[in-house]
Amino acid sequence: MISQRLAVRRIPPLLRPLRPPNASKKSPRPRLFTQNSQLLLISPAHPRPQLPYLHQTSRRLPHTPHSLLGHRSQLARLLTTESKRYIKDQFLLAGKWTLYGWTALFLLGIIALGVQNEILERQYPSPHDWSFWSRMNFRNARAQENPDFTGRGVVDWASTGNAYRILLRRLENPAIDGKGLETQGEGGILIPDVGAAGYDIEGKSYQWRRGYFEVLMGCARAAEHLDGWVRDKTRNIAFPADVVIGPSNPNPRPTPPHAASAPQEADCESAFEAPQTFYLKILTSKGFTTRQRLDAALAYADFLDFKNLHDSAEEVYKWGLDIASSAIPDYESIIDTRTGTIKEDAPTVSPNILHAATSLAIHHARTGAVSFALPIFLSALRARRAGPTSSASFYPDAQPDNDHSLTGPYRKLASTLLSYIQPPAYPSPGPSGDEPLTRPTTDPDCTEAALMTYIGEILFATSASPEAGLGWTRDAVDVAEARLQSRHVLVDEGEKERCSQCLDAGFANWTVMLRKLAREERERDGSKSRGWSWWGGGKVKEESVGRWEQELERVDERRERVRREVLREVFAANSGRAPGSVWMG
């Protein structure tokens, strides 16, 4: 029964039509699913309609020469509404943080610039009545003279001189900081081979005049260092004159490695003005103090000595002596301006006259005119020792402290905080140098030690008895060493440096003198005899060391002891310990 039903329902295989898929050679035309898009087609290759939500995209995008992203359907699928919104948000976020970063960098740069200028203002005070940019240029120019400022250990005098020159133009410009400057005479005074003379600055404030003087002296220092240099106009770089390629220099010196190539002579000009341009502007200006004009004259004379123009230098030294003596009404009774010797019965002497006379004596000693130098040195030393004592010369710029509201550590903390908030005060004028000379104590100072060193050197070279010069040098070393060890008296770093230099010069002269005397002693006594010692086992027995050689050994030991003490103090200062403590390296 069941088998009969199955037989009826089954279709014989031979009766089923054999229609293999894609049997026809020509594919049937695809039936349009819609009339709006070619993507919505039904074809034999795709059994399903190609709708966006049904189409299965591939991970590998086919590349065609018409599109880098493949089919437009795939590009439309990648840039969806969510993707566009995400990319837009990322771009906005990146722009926002970039703006925040650059703003923070800009503000941090302004803060760093302000902190640096505050530090430089305390190191190099600038006049308060100058404009903001002039004060900042002044601080930067003064800081560039410090070799450690740039971290290279050298001073770029071309950059420093350019900074001073720009600042000088601002100060002499009536539209900026030169309001009120007046030319001397009608139309100004012209100096041959120099240019216009100085201005009349008596109507300006003390701070302006002092700052103007420092700028002129800075220009003069830069001009001295750039003397003989040229500037390449095409690259704005300064070069020494001996590296320039041109007819006037047939054998140019090669430039150092990693330096700019040598310039052509046709492209060069003088790197800076001549030093006398600025020195004479100070000397011919009206309104500077006697000390300022004297410092300019002595610096100019020293530059002329360096250029081996000794006759011109002597004239400028005497010009400086006239400047110092003209401020004293009865200077004829104090100094002989023709020779520079201070008179023995002089009632008093000013520091400016003493400084000018000593500088003239040093010039005579350097040029070999010791017969003119020795009387000036002796008269200057006599005048210094005859000066009255005054405790006020210890701290000429000290200000009285009347604030006793806070005591103990709170007062120190309050003063420290106020020093950060309040602008630093400009230095006081100080002594002009025209007042009578006074001494802080009756003890000799480093200036007297320097004079004694000069006197000892001249006497040793010219006197028939060299022991006289040796005695002066020995006393000079004693004075300088005692002065250097009295730390409670040395309140100025410059004075410490002068004492150190004086002590080194004294030890050097003392050593040279003793070596010469020891050599003469050996030559006088003959060569050292060496005899055969029977009792000493056949060894050579040397004679005893001479008198000067023994003193030379003591001097060397003393010099090493002083050096060890100086190094110990340096270590103590760097580590914050007391000088007597033990340093463990």
Side-chain angles (χ1 to χ4, degrees):
M1 190 70 182
I2 297 175
S3 60
Q4 292 179 358
R5 294 178 178 177
L6 292 174
V8 174
R9 293 180 179 180
R10 288 180 180 176
I11 300 175
L14 295 177
L15 298 178
R16 183 181 300 170
L18 299 176
R19 291 184 299 179
N22 300 329
S24 61
K25 296 181 180 179
K26 185 177 181 181
S27 301
R29 184 178 181 180
R31 181 165 52 90
L32 293 176
F33 185 79
T34 179
Q35 297 295 329
N36 297 329
S37 176
Q38 294 293 331
L39 296 176
L40 305 178
L41 298 178
I42 297 178
S43 62
H46 300 281
R48 300 171 61 186
Q50 299 182 17
L51 297 174
Y53 59 90
L54 293 178
H55 182 65
Q56 194 173 12
T57 59
S58 175
R59 291 184 179 272
R60 291 185 61 184
L61 299 177
H63 296 280
T64 62
H66 301 288
S67 176
L68 295 176
L69 296 176
H71 296 293
R72 292 189 176 186
S73 62
Q74 296 169 348
L75 178 62
R77 182 60 182 165
L78 290 175
L79 298 177
T80 60
T81 304
E82 292 79 4
S83 300
K84 291 180 180 179
R85 184 182 299 111
Y86 175 76
I87 294 174
K88 181 179 179 181
D89 293 341
Q90 292 300 315
F91 270 105
L92 291 176
L93 188 63
K96 180 176 67 174
W97 283 107
T98 302
L99 180 62
Y100 288 167
W102 282 109
T103 304
L105 281 177
F106 178 73
L107 295 178
L108 288 176
I110 293 178
I111 293 173
L113 182 63
V115 172
Q116 182 190 31
N117 276 271
E118 283 296 323
I119 295 174
L120 293 179
E121 178 65 25
R122 283 159 174 78
Q123 294 179 354
Y124 313 105
S126 58
H128 296 170
D129 49 356
W130 285 3
S131 61
F132 172 78
W133 294 110
S134 296
R135 296 182 65 181
M136 189 168 64
N137 291 340
F138 175 77
R139 291 188 291 261
N140 292 334
R142 288 291 306 272
Q144 287 183 19
E145 291 193 58
N146 185 3
D148 300 330
F149 178 72
T150 58
R152 294 179 294 179
V154 294
V155 179
D156 187 358
W157 284 106
S159 175
T160 305
N162 187 51
Y164 275 123
R165 182 163 49 188
I166 293 175
L167 180 57
L168 182 62
R169 292 171 182 171
R170 292 180 60 90
L171 295 178
E172 294 180 351
N173 189 351
I176 304 177
D177 289 318
K179 185 177 180 180
L181 281 181
E182 299 179 0
T183 57
Q184 299 187 56
E186 188 174 351
I189 302 175
L190 295 178
I191 302 176
D193 300 331
V194 174
Y199 292 93
D200 184 1
I201 59 174
E202 287 185 340
K204 308 296 287 186
S205 65
Y206 158 72
Q207 295 185 13
W208 196 98
R209 286 185 278 113
R210 178 169 175 173
Y212 183 57
F213 169 77
E214 292 178 357
V215 171
L216 286 174
M217 291 296 290
C219 290
R221 288 190 298 269
E224 289 183 1
H225 287 85
L226 295 176
D227 182 57
W229 284 54
V230 296
R231 185 181 70 90
D232 187 0
K233 295 181 290 185
T234 60
R235 293 175 292 176
N236 196 24
I237 303 177
F239 291 91
D242 55 356
V243 303
V244 178
I245 301 174
S248 62
N249 189 23
N251 297 316
R253 180 173 60 88
T255 57
H258 309 290
S261 59
Q264 298 294 327
E265 185 176 357
D267 301 331
C268 294
E269 65 178 4
S270 181
F272 212 77
E273 292 86 351
Q276 58 265 25
T277 303
F278 308 102
Y279 286 131
L280 292 178
K281 181 170 286 190
I282 298 175
L283 294 174
T284 57
S285 293
K286 188 177 181 182
F288 288 122
T289 63
T290 306
R291 173 169 292 181
Q292 291 172 342
R293 298 177 61 214
L294 178 61
D295 290 342
L298 297 182
Y300 182 33
D302 186 67
F303 172 73
L304 293 176
D305 262 339
F306 173 76
K307 301 294 290 185
N308 293 324
L309 302 174
H310 302 301
D311 295 337
S312 301
E314 184 175 352
E315 294 296 328
V316 178
Y317 276 119
K318 291 183 178 180
W319 187 7
L321 189 61
D322 293 337
I323 292 174
S325 58
S326 61
I328 308 299
D330 53 346
Y331 68 91
E332 293 89 355
S333 62
I334 298 176
I335 187 172
D336 185 0
T337 56
R338 186 178 55 86
T339 61
T341 305
I342 300 175
K343 297 182 179 180
E344 186 175 358
D345 55 349
T348 182
V349 63
S350 67
N352 289 336
I353 291 179
L354 196 60
H355 184 33
T358 305
S359 300
L360 179 60
I362 294 174
H363 163 74
H364 287 316
R366 288 176 178 175
T367 55
V370 293
S371 59
F372 296 101
L374 184 59
I376 301 177
F377 281 130
L378 292 174
S379 63
L381 181 61
R382 181 179 62 247
R384 289 195 63 87
R385 290 180 174 177
T389 59
S390 174
S391 59
S393 58
F394 264 122
Y395 312 99
D397 296 333
Q399 300 293 334
D401 188 5
N402 299 323
D403 185 12
H404 302 286
S405 58
L406 297 177
T407 58
Y410 299 103
R411 182 181 181 184
K412 184 176 181 181
L413 178 61
S415 62
T416 304
L417 293 177
L418 287 176
S419 66
Y420 291 133
I421 298 174
Q422 295 178 349
Y426 197 76
S428 59
S432 63
D434 298 331
E435 66 278 353
L437 175 68
T438 58
R439 305 175 60 194
T441 60
T442 56
D443 299 330
D445 55 4
C446 293
T447 306
E448 297 181 22
L451 293 173
M452 295 166 65
T453 303
Y454 282 117
I455 294 172
E457 186 176 355
I458 294 176
L459 289 178
F460 184 84
T462 59
S463 177
S465 177
E467 295 187 13
L470 189 63
W472 279 92
T473 305
R474 188 185 298 112
D475 295 340
V477 171
D478 294 339
V479 170
E481 184 178 1
R483 183 71 173 177
L484 191 61
Q485 291 177 354
S486 59
R487 294 298 182 183
H488 63 281
V489 176
L490 295 175
V491 296
D492 187 9
E493 291 294 333
E495 188 178 359
K496 295 179 184 179
E497 183 67 22
R498 288 192 298 270
C499 286
S500 300
Q501 295 177 359
C502 181
L503 185 60
D504 291 339
F507 272 124
N509 288 355
W510 197 359
T511 302
V512 171
M513 293 175 185
L514 289 176
R515 287 177 180 174
K516 182 179 180 181
L517 292 176
R519 184 173 61 252
E520 293 177 354
E521 185 181 26
R522 287 194 302 268
E523 293 175 356
R524 185 173 56 253
D525 297 341
S527 60
K528 289 186 175 181
S529 61
R530 298 173 178 265
W532 189 267
S533 174
W534 294 97
W535 301 101
K539 296 181 180 180
V540 176
K541 181 178 68 175
E542 297 184 1
E543 292 185 353
S544 59
V545 182
R547 166 192 173 189
W548 303 120
E549 291 183 356
Q550 292 179 0
E551 186 173 353
L552 180 61
E553 293 177 358
R554 292 194 298 268
V555 170
D556 292 337
E557 294 176 357
R558 182 177 176 182
R559 191 174 189 176
E560 292 299 325
R561 176 178 56 81
V562 172
R563 288 178 177 177
R564 286 194 299 269
E565 292 178 356
V566 172
L567 289 177
R568 187 181 299 112
E569 292 177 358
V570 171
F571 286 141
N574 293 336
S575 59
R577 291 186 295 268
S581 59
V582 179
W583 179 76
M584 301 298 293

